[in-house]
Amino acid sequence: MLAEPIRHDWQLTEILELFNLPFNDLIFKAQSIHRTNFNPNQLQLSTLLNIKTGACSEDCGYCSQSARFKTELEKQPLMAIDAIVAEAKQAKANGASRFCMGAAWRSPKERDFKQILDIIRAVKAEDLETCLTLGMLDDQQAQQLSEAGLDYYNHNLDTSATYYPKVISTHTYQDRLNTLTNVRKANLKICCGGIIGMGEKVQDRAELLQTLANLAIHPESVPINQLVPIAGTPLEHAEQLDSFAIVRCIAVARILMPSSNIRLSAGRTEMNDELQALCFLAGANSVFYGEKLLTTDNKSTEHDHNLFNKLGIITSYE
Ligand code: SAM
Ligand code: DTB
Ligand code: SF4
């Protein structure tokens, strides 16, 4: 089968039609597109490290790291380079191909930026792909990160433009889009996706995917997170999602962005092996790998290896 053309003109009605397809039809379509673009039995593995924890000025309603909510998290300043490199080495030894570092900032401060650039150079030297998520960036910061050798910048749109202000009030959707523009201008690869299970409607998921798919260049990496409810945050008691919701969302993302890596991201600890297998069938070809996400637990590497073996999945470095 010929690869479908990459489109940037998706209409909301078309996307909603995809969401509403009978499940088997949706999965068949997504899997067919998946195998024309990727090895269907291969996953890319990214390992996360939170390099600065908590005390964030923002009020993102899902986040354990906002200073505005009473969560149980202990705050920690920016980590030293040596400690970060040690974690990167371990991630590589465990089989990750990308090392993703997160900081709980609205945007990076001038005083920390030199250290961030040094961190990138040091992790790159370990022969790993690098990804950073530091909040909003201006033109110049994006350019400096690019020159230091950064590969990916993660900046999620999280949900639809309409639902966004119901979850976050301290910055806007347009702020997020502006950072994505600055990151692209600096020739960095983009990792951008969202969270499902925050009380949004299917229409919000469709609008988020429409925004991502209609960017001039699709994000190279699209993380689909399922909300990890955090005690003390406004979304602590969000209604639990039906398990098929994430499978459908992944399938639609795969269809709209055929050559992007779609990552089954936060929320895997709550999923059984069968549900994860369905997500891979729907076109997810990447996961966060390693015992921790940013502040919460992830599936154990042992569990993941067993699952990959059972499914005959190979990972980037095998
Ligand atoms: N401060 C930076 C920012 O906001 O872009 C970087 C770190 S922030 C924690 C990175 C992303 O993690 C968020 O945009 C959100 O998509 C995801 N995330 C955070 N908390 C989450 C949770 N409880 N459940 C699911 N995803 C979450
Ligand atoms: C993304 O989309 N998900 C990751 C990463 N990009 C930075 C973060 C998930 C965080 C889950 C909750 C936590 O561990 O604090
Ligand atoms: Fe801060 Fe990022 Fe958490 Fe928002 S998601 S509160 S910006 S760390």
Side-chain angles (χ1 to χ4, degrees):
M1 200 168 107
L2 277 178
E4 310 227 347
I6 304 277
R7 288 179 49 192
H8 302 270
D9 60 352
W10 288 95
Q11 303 300 305
L12 192 60
T13 46
E14 290 179 281
I15 300 173
L16 286 169
E17 274 167 26
L18 290 172
F19 267 103
N20 292 324
L21 279 175
F23 188 76
N24 289 346
D25 290 346
L26 175 62
I27 302 306
F28 181 75
K29 192 174 172 65
Q31 172 64 203
S32 306
I33 289 175
H34 187 45
R35 26 187 78 225
T36 64
N37 291 280
F38 292 98
N39 175 344
N41 303 308
Q42 189 165 26
L43 283 184
Q44 183 272 328
L45 306 182
S46 287
T47 293
L48 280 165
L49 177 68
N50 211 21
I51 61 173
K52 186 265 171 183
T53 304
C56 183
S57 62
E58 303 307 280
D59 68 352
C60 312
Y62 48 77
C63 190
S64 61
Q65 304 199 68
S66 166
R68 294 162 192 252
F69 314 139
K70 280 211 172 58
T71 64
E72 280 179 1
L73 193 69
E74 244 183 73
K75 60 181 183 199
Q76 305 231 294
L78 184 56
M79 281 173 70
I81 299 188
D82 291 356
I84 296 172
V85 169
E87 297 279 346
K89 280 189 180 25
Q90 189 60 55
K92 180 161 182 191
N94 290 347
S97 63
R98 193 176 309 157
F99 194 61
C100 307
M101 294 157 276
W105 286 324
R106 170 185 166 88
S107 57
K109 302 258 176 345
E110 180 74 46
R111 62 166 189 265
D112 295 315
F113 211 69
K114 192 191 157 291
Q115 190 174 337
I116 293 289
L117 297 175
D118 289 342
I119 290 167
I120 292 303
R121 292 186 199 105
V123 174
K124 270 308 294 174
E126 298 301 322
D127 196 23
L128 276 158
E129 287 185 315
T130 50
C131 180
L132 271 180
T133 180
L134 313 172
M136 294 183 263
L137 293 185
D138 63 27
D139 258 343
Q140 223 195 340
Q141 290 171 321
Q143 190 55 44
Q144 285 176 284
L145 292 174
S146 179
E147 282 162 15
L150 181 67
D151 297 295
Y152 287 80
Y153 196 75
N154 164 256
H155 200 64
N156 288 342
L157 287 175
D158 281 337
T159 187
S160 67
T162 17
Y163 199 65
Y164 200 79
K166 300 211 164 63
V167 182
I168 295 142
S169 78
T170 45
H171 55 261
T172 66
Y173 211 68
Q174 191 56 51
D175 289 329
R176 300 298 278 186
L177 290 167
N178 293 347
T179 292
L180 293 176
T181 304
N182 296 338
V183 168
R184 252 315 165 220
K185 265 199 271 173
N187 281 322
L188 289 163
K189 290 186 193 137
I190 289 183
C191 172
C192 182
I195 309 180
I196 66 168
M198 301 194 292
E200 77 288 347
K201 302 210 157 43
V202 171
Q203 165 121 2
D204 295 300
R205 294 173 207 155
E207 287 177 15
L208 165 66
L209 294 181
Q210 181 187 29
T211 306
L212 294 173
N214 290 347
L215 290 170
I217 304 172
H218 291 170
E220 284 76 6
S221 176
V222 180
I224 305 293
N225 295 278
Q226 180 168 300
L227 177 73
V228 179
I230 311 274
T233 63
L235 287 170
E236 170 179 5
H237 299 298
E239 198 185 326
Q240 212 183 322
L241 273 183
D242 176 90
S243 2
F244 294 114
I246 188 145
V247 189
R248 281 186 182 272
C249 198
I250 285 171
V252 176
R254 165 54 62 224
I255 294 166
L256 303 192
M257 293 169 278
S259 62
S260 301
N261 282 304
I262 309 293
R263 183 175 309 119
L264 172 58
S265 301
R268 286 202 300 129
T269 47
E270 296 307 307
M271 295 175 199
N272 61 25
D273 288 354
E274 293 79 359
L275 176 55
Q276 292 187 70
L278 266 183
C279 291
F280 301 143
L281 194 64
N285 63 339
S286 169
V287 291
F288 283 124
Y289 165 77
E291 316 273 327
K292 236 179 153 196
L293 295 168
L294 293 175
T295 67
T296 65
D297 289 342
N298 194 17
K299 282 279 193 214
S300 74
T301 49
E302 195 194 349
H303 189 105
D304 274 348
H305 281 293
N306 282 335
L307 174 61
F308 302 158
N309 282 337
K310 280 193 269 186
L311 299 179
I313 281 177
I314 54 164
T315 53
S316 313
Y317 273 152
E318 283 167 355

